[in-house]
Amino acid sequence: MTALFNEYQSVTLPDKLNIRNIVNVYEVLHQNIKSGKAILISIPDGAEADLSFIQLIESARIQAKSSGTHVLMSKPVEGSVLSVLKRGGFSEAFSPEDKKFWLHEEAIQ
């Protein structure tokens, strides 16, 4: 990890990121955002996600930004998470900031 990542509170999420356990994921993220610390989110390889997870992460990003903190993904999303982003039409509407967050892609200037 880069030095930048060392300034973040690491949060490893469970491998089930769906409506059945979204309250648990919410609690973990909410408590960390409430603490005022920047968050580095790690998603396990092979994690299963649904739209509720994407909505929660987008909400967490907005909440963190409004409270003056940051949320980052430890690595670009893949597998089920990426598939949900594509199926939901999110990836087609990504801003440069969204691409950097979800895919770790920098905007070409």
Side-chain angles (χ1 to χ4, degrees):
M1 287 189 182
T2 67
L4 173 66
F5 285 172
N6 292 331
E7 300 171 14
Y8 285 73
Q9 173 69 31
S10 182
V11 175
T12 301
L13 298 179
D15 61 357
K16 302 286 186 199
L17 304 168
N18 56 40
I19 194 71
R20 290 190 174 133
N21 76 337
I22 204 67
V23 172
N24 297 334
V25 177
Y26 165 80
E27 288 297 328
V28 169
L29 293 175
H30 179 69
Q31 290 302 318
N32 280 280
I33 290 171
K34 199 167 118 177
S35 75
K37 295 179 182 176
I39 303 169
L40 179 65
I41 299 171
S42 296
I43 299 173
D45 292 339
E48 295 177 31
D50 68 11
L51 187 56
S52 67
F53 174 68
I54 304 302
Q55 292 171 323
L56 177 64
I57 293 298
E58 287 300 308
S59 176
R61 289 177 66 197
I62 292 167
Q63 183 182 5
K65 189 173 185 177
S66 71
S67 66
T69 189
H70 300 277
V71 176
L72 289 178
M73 288 289 182
S74 63
K75 63 181 183 177
V77 295
E78 55 189 23
S80 177
V81 177
L82 183 57
S83 178
V84 172
L85 285 168
K86 288 179 179 179
R87 282 193 328 262
F90 292 91
S91 60
E92 293 174 7
F94 274 169
S95 68
E97 186 177 329
D98 296 333
K99 284 184 181 181
K100 186 174 182 179
F101 176 80
W102 290 105
L103 306 173
H104 289 206
E105 290 181 6
E106 295 291 332
I108 298 173
Q109 300 282 334

